[in-house]
Structures are given as C-alpha cells and as structure tokens.
Amino acid sequence: MKGKKGKKEKIISIRTKLLGIILPVVIIIVTVLVGISYRISRTTMQEAAQNLLQTSVENQVSEIEAWLNTNLSALGAVKQSIETMGMEHQQGMADGQLQQLLNGFYGYHNNYPQGLYVADASGRMMTAEGSSKTESDPVHTVWYQEGMKRLNMGFTSAYTNAQGEAVISASGILNDGSGELKVISADLSLQKIGIIVSSLVSMDQAQAFLVDSTDLSILAHRDSSLVSAKLDESQDIFLKDVALRLREDDLSTVQIDGNMVAFSEITGADWILVSYIPVKVVYRDVDEIRTSMIVIGIISVLLLAVLIERVVYLVIRPVKGLTKAILAMTEGDFTVKIKTRSRDEIGVMGRSMEKYAQTMRTMIASIHDVSGKLHVQAGNSNDVSGQMHDSSKMQSASMQELNETVEQLSISVNEIAQNATTLAMVVADTRENSVQVNEKMRETVDVSQKGKADMQNVGSAMEDINHSVSSLQQAIDKVGKASEEITNITNVIGNIADETNLLSLNASIEAARAGEAGRGFAVVATQIGQLAQTSADSVRNIEKLISEINGLVKDAVSQADDSAGSISHSSGLVNHALQTFDNIFHNIDTVSRLVQEMIDQIEQVDGVASNVAAISQEQAASSQEILASSDMMVQMANHITGNSETVANGAKELTDSAVELAQQIKIFKIGEDIS
C-alpha cells in the first residue's frame, strides 16, 4: 500500500526566528535605555531648573531688598536730618524750615517723585510746593496709620492713593522737636517695583510677581491689571493655588498648574516674591534631547538590525544548505552532497549528515538488492504454494475416492460375513439332517432334491464370495497404490515445506538487516515459516497414518489371500457335493454307503464354514478400521488443502509485500555509484 504524502508544512526560517527574537529585544533595550536616559535627563533638568529658578528668585529678592533698603536708607537719612535740625532749635523746626526741606527733596529721586510729606494728628499735611500729593483725611490713611506704629522709616502695605495710583509708602514718626506727633512719609510707585521684579528674571520665559503676605495682595506683576488684586479672589486657578500654598506657609519649590514655582521672602517687608516658569519650557531641552535620542535609537536599531541580519545570515547560511539537504533526504533523495567547512557545531552536524547520507545510500542499495531477491523468492514460493495447493486438492480427491472404495469394501466384507454365517447355519442344519438320514430314507429323494437346490445356492454364494474376495483384492491393491501416491505427494509437500521454511528463514534474516523498513516483511516471513512448519508436521502425520494404512492393507491382503484359498477349496467341495447329489438321483443304492462319508464331509464343510464366518467377521472388523482410517485420511487431506491454501495466500501476500517494498525502495535516490 502506497503511503500518502501529507500536506507540506510551512517552514519558518531560523533567520526569521532569530531576527524575530533579537530585534524586539534590541528595540526593547534601546527603548528602555532611551526611557531611562530621558528620565534621568528630565530629573536632572528638573533639579537644575529648580536650582536655577530658586537662584533667580534669590537674586531678584536680593535686588528688591537692595532697592528697598537703598530707598529706605535715603528716606531714613532725610528723616534723621529733619529731626537733627529740629533738635538744634529749642522750640523745634518752624513750618517754613520744614517746607524748605520738603521742597528741597522734591524731585530728588525718581523712585519717589512726589518727594516727602508730613501730617500731624490734627490732619494738617505739608507737601513740597511742586507736589500733587493731596489727602482729604490724612490721619486715616494707610501710610499715617502704619507710620504711627514705628519710629524708624518702614514700608507700608500696598494701597491706592487719592490720585488712584498703586503705591507703597515709607513712613514713620517724625520727631522734629516741636512737641507735636507727626508722621513723615514718601510714596513709591508699585509700577516701579513691578519693573524691577519683571526685569530681574534670569530665566528665559520665566515670570515673577510680588505678593503681600498679610493680605495676599499682588504688589507687582507684569500684568498691571492684577496689581493690588487679591490672590484668593482671583478666578485664575494658578493664582488660587499659589494663595493656598501661601496660606499654608509652604514656600518649597513645587509644580502648580503646569508651572514650576519658587517662593522667597523679602527681608524687611511682609512680601513674598513668586517666580514661575512653564514646565514645558523647562523640559523643552529635555524633549529635544529625547527626540534626538529617539532618532539616534531608531538609527541604531536599524543599523543593529542590518548588522544582526548579516551576522545571522553568515551564521545560518550553512544551516540553510543543511536544511535543504535534510528536506531532500526526507523526500527520499540521498544523492545530495553536504559541504561544510566550518569547525563549529553546524560543521559537525553537516559532516555527520554527510556520513548518514552515505550510510543510507549503502543501506538502501543493499535493501534494493534484497528486495529483488525477495521478489524472486516470493514468486517461487507463490508458484510452489500453488503447486502444493493443486497437489493437496488432488490428494484430497484421491483420499475421497479411497474413502468411497474402502466403504464399498466394507459393505462387501459385511455381505461375505453374512453369507458365511448363512453357510455355517445351512451346513449345521445339513449335519443334523444327515444324522437322521437313516431314519428318513424315505424322504431321501425329497431331501436330496432340497439338498441339490441348497447346494446350488451354496455354489452361487461361493461364486459370489469368490467374486467379492477378488474385488476386495483389487480394492486393497488400489489402496496400496493410492497410499504409495499419497506417500510420494507427502514427500513432495515435505520438501516444499522445508524449502519454504528455508526461504522464510532467509527472508527473516534479510528483513532483520533491513531494520525498521523490513519489520512488516519480517512478520510475513515469520508467518510463512510457521505455515511451512505446520505443513511439515501435517506431512509427517500423514506419512505415519499411511504407514499404518499400508500395514493394515498388507494384513488385509494376506487375509484376503487366505480367504480366497479357503473359498476356492470350499467351492470345490460344493461342486463335488453337487456331483454326489447327481449320483444320488442315479444311484440311490449307494446312498447308505455314502451317508457316513457325506456326514464326514459335511462336518468338514461345517468347520470350513465356521472358519469362513470367523474370517469374514475379522475382515468386517478390519474393513471398519480401514474405513475409519480412510475418514481420518480424508480429514487430514482436507486439512492439508486448507494449509496449502493458507500457504498460497501467505505466498501471495509475501509477493505483494515484496512488490510494495520494491516500490517503496524506488522512492529513494542513491545515485549510480552505489552498487
């Protein structure tokens, strides 16, 4: 039976697998490295930005503190000068002198362009002559109320003056020796402070604003509309979050609403400088670095992919050739040549496969030769098994004919026995009648007539017995000849069985040499050997039975010869008795003399008849045994026929297996150089 080729499996190359494994690993490694580098760069940049922002805030605070201290020192010096001059006069400084001093400081510095002004507890206010500063109720102003709380000059909270300008004032108690409680003050524009706050930011795109921590009002901001606004009253989320941090007194650097924010207190004032910069600006360089790293990573991956592909190709190229050779060998082509020069594992594998291909070429060539021989032997075995099957059929037919002949012989022998028994009874009756012959002389003629008729019957019976014995001799001769033919046939079958057994042994040896490919053939050879052994055993049994039959036939022939002699002698006596009865009719006078002689002869006939009856009984028993042996021979012949048919079928299967093996061997290609 031809094997069916399965669907060809799709092959995935090792190079594809290696690239499929290595490239993702490389991509993951590069991605992880880029991510780690980006994370480290981001963290480093964040720390640097925080430090830079904090440094910027500290610089701004230093600048603002220096600006405030400078202005405050200058105003404090003016206040101290006025107080010194007033102390020099016993009744204090006159209003005219104070006015001159105020006029002298008007326009002195652009940080406080309105100059200084003084107010007392009665609400009287003095300003420089060129100043536009006016107050309807100076006593209740911010600068007056807070100035009344300190002797030295200090800054007030931010507020909007009567002219609608957002300012802070440097105010304090003025002791000019007049004995009146006065407050001296000067206004500084918050716009000026805002310019300072905005101009001193050292980071690009960073912003800052100044907050009064007491009421969270904005003192300075780039957006002038937010100046004096309350942080917690603003609608801006960023400003609200800043207010929340200030109320919690948390001045650490933090990210608020997408901005990096730094806080710093200004010494000498309840002010807090808030500086912030958008996070995306801080991470812009990091993002550029990340983009560059991604581009470099992609280029590196591509270069590594090309490099890995080339390396894998160079490493796998011998495996590709080896794979083609293996695929060709799986298709049965062992003519392929495997050439490997490397000294690594692949080279060892290639050289091993070359040795394997050479071994398989030699083995397949040997199997091919064995297959041819096996095919010839299978054909011969098939022919022999056919002949043996035909011979067994002929033997079965002959045994059937022998059985029928023996059965007829048994019937004839039984008839002879019956006739011999009848003869013995008749002779016994005749002897009893001859004893009474003297008393029944008157009935002699009638008895003689009856005796003549009986003797005629006896003569006919003796002729029948003689004929039956002749037929028995001929049948026994036929049995002897048939047994000789059976012996010849069994000898032929025994020779065939021995030859078949030898062929099966050779086939088993060749199948063992064939290894896995000859396993099925070995089973067939074993079965044929078993059938041949069974046939040989059956032949030996038949020969034994035939030997017994020949012995029985010889005994039957001997007994038949003895019976034939006795019957011939008895037939002569019966003929003589007939002549005597004829003489009785012609010579009644001689009856008396011959009665005693007749009695003697009848006694002899009685003994002969008894012997014939006994011999007939023995022949009947022998014929029964011969019939039983014949039946057994018929059964054995039928068994031999069945075995010969099994051998024939096995031989046919062996032939088919040899043909199939030859067809399977033809699949393999081993070239013409292998003998």
Side-chain angles (χ1 to χ4, degrees):
M1 183 176 65
K2 296 182 179 179
K4 295 182 179 179
K5 293 184 178 179
K7 185 178 180 182
K8 188 175 182 181
E9 185 179 359
K10 185 178 180 181
I11 298 176
I12 301 176
S13 64
I14 298 177
R15 181 171 66 177
T16 303
K17 287 184 178 180
L18 290 176
L19 292 177
I21 296 173
I22 296 174
L23 286 181
V25 172
V26 171
I27 292 172
I28 292 173
I29 292 174
V30 172
T31 303
V32 170
L33 291 177
V34 170
I36 293 174
S37 300
Y38 173 73
R39 186 69 179 176
I40 294 174
S41 300
R42 183 184 178 90
T43 303
T44 303
M45 187 65 71
Q46 181 179 2
E47 293 176 354
Q50 290 178 353
N51 294 332
L52 182 60
L53 185 62
Q54 190 64 38
T55 302
S56 175
V57 169
E58 292 175 356
N59 291 334
Q60 286 179 286
V61 168
S62 298
E63 293 293 334
I64 293 172
E65 289 178 350
W67 182 79
L68 291 176
N69 291 332
T70 298
N71 291 321
L72 193 62
S73 298
L75 293 174
V78 172
K79 172 179 176 294
Q80 186 175 4
S81 297
I82 293 173
E83 289 178 343
T84 301
M85 292 178 64
M87 292 299 177
E88 291 177 355
H89 299 82
Q90 295 180 355
Q91 295 181 353
M93 183 177 292
D95 291 339
Q97 293 177 343
L98 181 59
Q99 185 67 45
Q100 289 180 358
L101 290 174
L102 294 176
N103 292 335
F105 283 102
Y106 176 75
Y108 178 77
H109 201 284
N110 58 1
N111 289 333
Y112 36 93
Q114 297 297 328
L116 281 78
Y117 50 90
V118 178
D120 55 16
S122 62
R124 186 171 65 88
M125 181 176 175
M126 295 180 62
T127 63
E129 292 180 355
S131 174
S132 59
K133 177 69 175 179
T134 59
E135 293 288 350
S136 59
D137 188 6
V139 177
H140 294 90
T141 60
V142 174
W143 57 269
Y144 187 86
Q145 292 293 328
E146 293 186 10
M148 288 292 294
K149 298 177 182 179
R150 48 180 173 261
L151 294 175
N152 297 320
M153 295 288 286
F155 290 108
T156 65
S157 301
Y159 67 96
T160 301
N161 59 17
Q163 287 73 35
E165 183 180 4
V167 297
I168 57 172
S169 299
S171 61
I173 296 174
L174 178 64
N175 185 11
D176 58 353
S178 62
E180 295 180 0
L181 185 60
K182 297 179 180 179
V183 174
I184 185 171
S185 178
D187 295 338
L188 281 76
S189 175
L190 290 179
Q191 290 182 351
K192 186 68 174 180
I193 299 175
I195 293 172
I196 296 173
V197 170
S198 299
S199 62
L200 295 178
V201 177
S202 59
M203 294 183 68
D204 186 23
Q205 299 187 17
Q207 298 183 24
F209 60 91
L210 193 62
V211 179
D212 190 342
S213 61
T214 58
D215 58 359
L216 299 182
S217 61
I218 298 176
L219 301 178
H221 198 284
R222 180 173 295 181
D223 186 359
S224 58
S225 62
L226 295 177
V227 175
S228 299
K230 304 291 186 181
L231 288 178
D232 50 1
E233 296 177 358
S234 175
Q235 300 298 322
D236 188 271
I237 297 176
F238 172 70
L239 297 179
K240 284 187 175 182
D241 291 341
V242 171
L244 180 62
R245 299 280 294 188
L246 293 177
R247 288 191 181 279
E248 293 176 354
D249 199 21
D250 186 1
L251 302 182
S252 61
T253 303
V254 69
Q255 289 187 13
I256 299 176
D257 193 25
N259 297 286
M260 184 180 294
V261 183
F263 302 90
S264 183
E265 294 179 331
I266 296 178
T267 304
D270 295 330
W271 296 351
I272 296 176
L273 180 64
V274 180
S275 182
Y276 65 95
I277 185 172
V279 175
K280 62 181 180 180
V281 174
V282 175
Y283 296 146
R284 181 176 57 192
D285 295 337
V286 179
D287 293 337
E288 292 178 356
I289 294 173
R290 179 188 61 185
T291 303
S292 300
M293 292 179 68
I294 291 173
V295 172
I296 294 172
I298 293 173
I299 294 173
S300 300
V301 169
L302 293 176
L303 293 176
L304 286 174
V306 174
L307 179 61
I308 292 171
E309 193 277 334
R310 288 291 90 193
V311 172
V312 170
Y313 173 76
L314 293 176
V315 174
I316 300 302
R317 183 171 57 181
V319 177
K320 188 175 182 181
L322 187 60
T323 302
K324 291 181 179 179
I326 293 174
L327 290 176
M329 285 190 286
T330 57
E331 297 294 333
D333 185 5
F334 285 91
T335 60
V336 294
K337 300 295 182 181
I338 303 173
K339 297 181 179 179
T340 54
R341 298 179 180 177
S342 60
R343 298 183 179 273
D344 53 7
E345 291 83 354
I346 297 175
V348 174
M349 188 187 301
R351 288 187 289 273
S352 299
M353 288 303 298
E354 177 65 24
K355 292 181 180 178
Y356 170 74
Q358 181 65 29
T359 303
M360 287 301 297
R361 285 194 290 268
T362 305
M363 184 183 298
I364 291 170
S366 177
I367 293 173
H368 188 272
D369 294 338
V370 172
S371 175
K373 295 178 181 178
L374 179 62
H375 183 67
V376 175
Q377 293 175 358
N380 295 332
S381 178
N382 192 17
D383 295 338
V384 171
S385 64
Q387 295 175 3
M388 184 173 68
H389 183 60
D390 295 337
S391 299
S392 65
K393 287 183 178 179
M394 293 175 63
Q395 180 186 5
S396 179
S398 299
M399 291 304 298
Q400 189 67 32
E401 293 177 357
L402 177 61
N403 189 25
E404 293 175 357
T405 303
V406 171
E407 186 176 0
Q408 293 176 359
L409 176 62
S410 177
I411 294 172
S412 299
V413 170
N414 288 328
E415 290 177 355
I416 293 171
Q418 292 176 0
N419 292 329
T421 302
T422 302
L423 176 60
M425 293 174 63
V426 171
V427 172
D429 292 338
T430 303
R431 186 174 60 83
E432 291 178 357
N433 291 329
S434 64
V435 173
Q436 298 175 0
V437 72
N438 290 324
E439 296 177 358
K440 297 181 178 180
M441 287 298 294
R442 297 175 183 179
E443 299 175 358
T444 300
V445 176
D446 295 335
V447 172
S448 297
Q449 184 68 33
K450 183 178 180 181
K452 182 179 180 180
D454 291 335
M455 290 304 293
Q456 288 176 350
N457 291 329
V458 170
S460 299
M462 291 303 292
E463 289 178 358
D464 292 337
I465 291 171
N466 192 11
H467 179 71
S468 297
V469 169
S470 298
S471 299
L472 176 61
Q473 287 178 340
Q474 293 176 1
I476 291 172
D477 291 336
K478 290 182 180 180
V479 170
K481 293 179 180 179
S483 63
E484 291 177 358
E485 292 179 358
I486 292 172
T487 301
N488 295 330
I489 292 171
T490 54
N491 290 331
V492 173
I493 294 173
N495 294 330
I496 292 172
D498 293 336
E499 186 177 0
T500 303
N501 194 5
L502 181 59
L503 290 174
S504 65
L505 179 60
N506 292 332
S508 299
I509 293 172
E510 296 299 333
R513 291 178 180 176
E516 188 66 22
R519 179 176 294 176
F521 184 59
V523 174
V524 175
T526 302
Q527 186 65 29
I528 292 173
Q530 293 177 356
L531 292 175
Q533 186 64 34
T534 303
S535 298
D537 295 339
S538 300
V539 167
R540 285 191 289 271
N541 292 330
I542 291 171
E543 288 177 350
K544 183 178 180 181
L545 292 174
I546 291 173
S547 296
E548 294 177 356
I549 291 171
N550 287 331
L552 294 174
V553 168
K554 289 179 181 179
D555 293 338
V557 170
S558 178
Q559 292 176 2
D561 291 338
D562 294 338
S563 298
S566 298
I567 291 170
S568 296
H569 182 66
S570 298
S571 179
L573 293 176
V574 170
N575 290 328
H576 183 69
L578 287 175
Q579 293 175 1
T580 301
F581 273 100
D582 289 337
N583 292 326
I584 289 173
F585 285 103
H586 299 289
N587 193 3
I588 194 65
D589 293 332
T590 60
V591 172
S592 296
R593 294 191 303 268
L594 296 175
V595 167
Q596 186 64 38
E597 185 178 352
M598 183 184 66
I599 291 172
D600 295 336
Q601 292 176 353
I602 289 173
E603 288 179 355
Q604 293 178 1
V605 172
D606 187 21
V608 172
S610 298
N611 292 331
V612 170
I615 292 171
S616 298
Q617 293 295 330
E618 291 179 358
Q619 288 179 347
S622 298
S623 65
Q624 292 296 327
E625 293 179 358
I626 293 171
L627 181 60
S629 300
S630 178
D631 291 335
M632 185 178 295
M633 290 177 65
V634 171
Q635 293 178 359
M636 293 302 297
N638 292 331
H639 183 66
I640 291 172
T641 302
N643 289 336
S644 64
E645 186 175 359
T646 303
V647 172
N649 293 331
K652 188 176 182 304
E653 292 179 358
L654 177 61
T655 303
D656 295 338
S657 299
V659 173
E660 181 182 356
L661 178 61
Q663 291 177 352
Q664 291 179 352
I665 291 298
K666 289 179 181 178
I667 297 174
F668 298 101
K669 300 177 182 178
I670 57 175
E672 299 179 354
D673 57 338
I674 302 298
S675 58

